[in-house]
Amino acid sequence: MDYDYVVVGGGSAGCVAANRLVRDHGARVLLLEAGGSHRRPYVDVPAGAFKMMFGPGDYLERYSSIPQPALDGRVVEVAQGSLLGGGSSVNAMTYMRGRASDYDRWDAELGGRGWAWRDLLPYFTRQEANGRLGGPAHGAQGPLKVEDHRYVCRAGRLFVDTLAGLGVPRRDDFNAGETHGVGYTQVTASAGRRCSAANAFLDPLEGNPLLTVRQRARVDRILFDKGRAVGVRFVENGVVREVRCEHDVVLAAGAYATPKLLMLSGLGPADHLRELGLEVVGDLPGVGQGMQDHNMVPVMALTAPGQGYFAEDRGWRLARNLVRYALGRNGPMASNGSETVAFLNPDDPEGEPTIQIYGMGFLPPGVAEAPGMMLCPTLIRPHSKGWMRLRSANPADKPLLSPNYFAEPQDLALMVRAVRFCREVLRTKPLSQIVLQEIAPGPAADSDAELAAFCRQSTFTNYHPVGSCRMGRDDDAMAVVDTELRVRGVAGLRICDASVMPAVPSANTNAPVMAIADRAMDFLIERTSPSR
């Protein structure tokens, strides 16, 4: 056979998996990515993140939910990166690991199988090359470059100072296991340019004959032989192709595409598959179930001019910023627009954080053609869970999705309290000195009922879906993979992306995904020995 392993998905997890298999184990790897190259406009420049998010182009695969009962019937939009590097090529580059307690809870629920903070920390540190932080929580020699922001707008600095004045402790490092506090994030960048998973893990292998990367290759089915995954079927340039491998098929297509592919291949809730005329290879009722995501609500205000990023991408300001970036990798183009963050508990200042607040020096397109800023409180440990299933047996059809934001009443109640807290921040010096007017929710909304209605109307994704193929103990009927990330009921098939997380971490998910993929490759190599 031509390959030892087939890796499906060239996002953050797939790049790590391919790198480890080729670099450390001399395996012959085929990496299949449904999107295109990461070497494209907007990707390298930090300010391009929101251009990709809000603008045209095929940087993302976008999905629409079914009408959401808990959101008064709203349809919400979600998305994932659709290019090499996946989310790490289109996100705001924020490098966050979450709290040590997140992983310790995972490990306790999994029966102590090596998923605690102490188990994952070595993977975080060996991947990282941090430009400032050191000590036992950080690495300096890894391929993934991490650095401080090279530009922070004044609105961001005032946000940090205001929260500190309200008693939130300043935090210099959010990635050593504790997040409570306010401060400046670090980003996956090097000298002001994005460092995606593709940059860090694929680019160093360019020209290596052991790695074959195929772009615009949509995998439609996993191939099985006598209960073992032996390859995949994919469509490339309109041509259906099949490829087989000597060892495992590794799924790294993300929390939406991985469960979709499993179900198309006959692995999933048996009744659902039979309804669509699909042959059942394995009855796995947890596929597509129990999904979690971080959802946020924008608290927005008009500000005095010159405090954020309004009009910095047009006219003479754009020309000036292009020169600043070209000559020194500085200025607004070196910023992702989201430089500051706070983790706190609005109900208990000393308690474990329940909210993550982003301080952003801009307003989304279509809100107001004026200088402004928004504070985005985000539920970091939501109780609500969503689901996804196939729309049809046609691989070209997008799945049915229901994130189920605010399905659990305590989530909505917490968000209302978080919105009230953010309004207080906007009214407090020194930030209040630049705030001209709150525009969302706006002064007319004041009661809990009015603020709850605003939250239902405006909440949106933070692009952190997890758990659609979660790992679990042997006695967990809804677990799709075991604690070594092997798909239940079949051989030769593993998952190493965000879909395996048993619960969403209480921070951004890109760094945890890369650590999980790294650990997954250790499990894989312990069980297989690729041909040479």
Side-chain angles (χ1 to χ4, degrees):
M1 294 184 182
D2 291 335
Y3 306 104
D4 295 307
Y5 300 95
V6 173
V7 178
V8 179
S12 296
C15 290
V16 172
N19 177 280
R20 287 291 317 280
L21 291 170
V22 171
R23 185 196 66 194
D24 294 346
H25 305 289
R28 300 164 302 166
V29 175
L30 173 63
L31 178 64
L32 297 170
E33 165 55 38
S37 172
H38 60 298
R39 297 188 177 101
R40 303 167 63 189
Y42 295 137
V43 172
D44 287 339
V45 180
F50 288 97
K51 294 289 187 181
M52 291 185 285
M53 185 179 300
F54 296 124
D58 62 346
Y59 302 95
L60 298 114
E61 182 76 17
R62 303 181 187 274
Y63 303 90
S64 298
S65 76
I66 65 168
Q68 298 291 280
L71 303 183
D72 301 327
R74 272 183 65 209
V75 170
V76 297
E77 304 297 323
V78 296
Q80 67 177 53
S82 182
L83 70 173
L84 286 173
S88 72
S89 289
V90 298
N91 64 9
M93 309 186 307
T94 303
Y95 184 75
M96 286 281 180
R97 301 171 179 172
R99 296 171 59 84
S101 57
D102 295 332
Y103 304 98
D104 292 344
R105 275 192 288 265
W106 285 10
D107 199 49
E109 293 171 3
L110 295 169
R113 301 303 299 271
W115 289 99
W117 172 256
R118 66 178 179 274
D119 302 307
L120 283 171
L121 183 58
Y123 295 93
F124 286 122
T125 58
R126 80 180 188 186
Q127 289 180 351
E128 180 189 27
N130 199 296
R132 174 174 62 89
L133 296 171
H138 292 284
Q141 303 300 321
L144 185 70
K145 311 302 182 185
V146 178
E147 66 180 15
D148 294 334
H149 286 276
R150 298 169 70 89
Y151 181 87
V152 178
C153 70
R154 185 164 185 258
R157 296 194 297 271
L158 294 178
F159 168 75
V160 172
D161 293 344
T162 300
L163 280 169
L166 289 171
V168 180
R170 293 181 185 266
R171 181 160 294 281
D172 189 49
D173 181 3
F174 289 99
N175 289 307
E178 175 58 72
T179 58
H180 181 215
V182 62
Y184 302 95
T185 61
Q186 288 197 302
V187 288
T188 50
S190 176
R193 293 174 67 87
R194 178 189 296 272
C195 181
S196 69
N199 298 137
F201 300 104
L202 284 192
D203 287 356
L205 297 177
E206 190 168 5
N208 190 314
L210 294 175
L211 177 63
T212 301
V213 179
R214 288 187 168 178
Q215 303 169 25
R216 309 290 182 184
R218 187 192 71 205
V219 178
D220 287 346
R221 186 174 297 275
I222 303 160
L223 305 176
F224 296 98
D225 184 11
K226 298 177 182 177
R228 179 178 181 84
V230 295
V232 298
R233 187 181 73 190
F234 63 99
V235 179
E236 182 182 38
N237 297 322
V239 178
V240 178
R241 306 181 188 277
E242 290 188 358
V243 65
R244 294 177 179 249
C245 56
E246 183 72 23
H247 296 295
D248 289 35
V249 174
V250 179
L251 302 187
Y256 300 130
T258 287
K260 176 186 175 184
L261 177 56
L262 285 179
M263 287 188 278
L264 287 170
S265 305
L267 295 168
D271 290 344
H272 174 52
L273 301 183
R274 291 190 185 104
E275 287 174 1
L276 298 176
L278 291 167
E279 178 186 355
V280 177
V281 174
D283 182 10
L284 295 175
V287 174
Q289 303 300 306
M291 298 181 70
Q292 287 189 300
D293 189 12
H294 292 144
N295 61 300
M296 59 174 70
V297 166
V299 178
M300 296 183 281
L302 301 179
T303 66
Q307 311 302 313
Y309 295 100
F310 177 72
E312 294 291 339
D313 60 347
R314 63 190 80 166
W316 68 268
R317 289 188 180 91
L318 174 59
R320 176 194 63 186
N321 293 332
L322 285 168
V323 171
R324 290 184 68 180
Y325 187 75
L327 295 180
R329 296 287 187 265
N330 208 319
M333 291 187 69
S335 172
N336 64 357
S338 178
E339 313 102 341
T340 59
V341 71
F343 291 87
L344 53 87
N345 187 323
D347 304 312
D348 178 6
E350 303 301 320
E352 185 171 333
T354 55
I355 293 292
Q356 178 179 3
I357 302 175
Y358 298 91
M360 302 180 182
F362 65 92
L363 296 173
V367 172
E369 188 61 23
M373 69 178 300
M374 59 180 173
L375 308 184
C376 289
T378 305
L379 300 180
I380 53 176
R381 293 187 61 198
H383 293 84
S384 303
K385 294 184 178 181
W387 55 264
M388 63 161 291
R389 60 175 181 259
L390 296 178
R391 185 181 302 272
S392 76
N394 183 353
D397 286 345
K398 293 187 177 181
L400 297 168
L401 293 171
S402 182
N404 270 348
Y405 304 140
F406 299 145
E408 297 296 332
Q410 60 264 50
D411 286 348
L412 180 58
L414 174 57
M415 186 64 88
V416 167
R417 298 193 295 275
V419 168
R420 287 196 183 279
F421 180 84
C422 288
R423 298 177 102 176
E424 178 186 354
V425 173
L426 290 174
R427 296 167 183 164
T428 302
K429 291 182 178 180
L431 189 59
S432 63
Q433 295 172 335
I434 68 166
V435 172
L436 303 180
Q437 177 188 348
E438 178 191 310
I439 57 174
D446 190 55
S447 69
D448 283 354
E450 290 167 332
L451 292 180
F454 166 73
C455 291
R456 290 193 297 269
Q457 178 186 27
S458 63
T459 195
F460 63 102
T461 180
N462 197 19
Y463 304 96
H464 298 160
V466 308
S468 52
C469 300
R470 67 173 175 82
M471 70 174 100
R473 298 159 60 130
D474 291 342
D475 59 355
D476 183 349
M478 296 299 287
V480 177
V481 296
D482 65 14
T483 55
E484 293 189 11
L485 308 187
R486 294 170 293 198
V487 176
R488 294 273 173 76
V490 294
L493 183 62
R494 298 196 188 227
I495 305 175
C496 68
D497 57 32
S499 67
V500 304
M501 293 185 187
V504 67
S506 52
N508 308 60
T509 54
N510 190 56
V513 164
M514 289 185 283
I516 286 171
D518 207 347
R519 183 148 178 73
M521 292 308 98
D522 278 352
F523 289 138
L524 180 60
I525 295 304
E526 288 174 3
R527 303 280 181 175
T528 59
S529 177
S531 58
R532 302 291 176 171

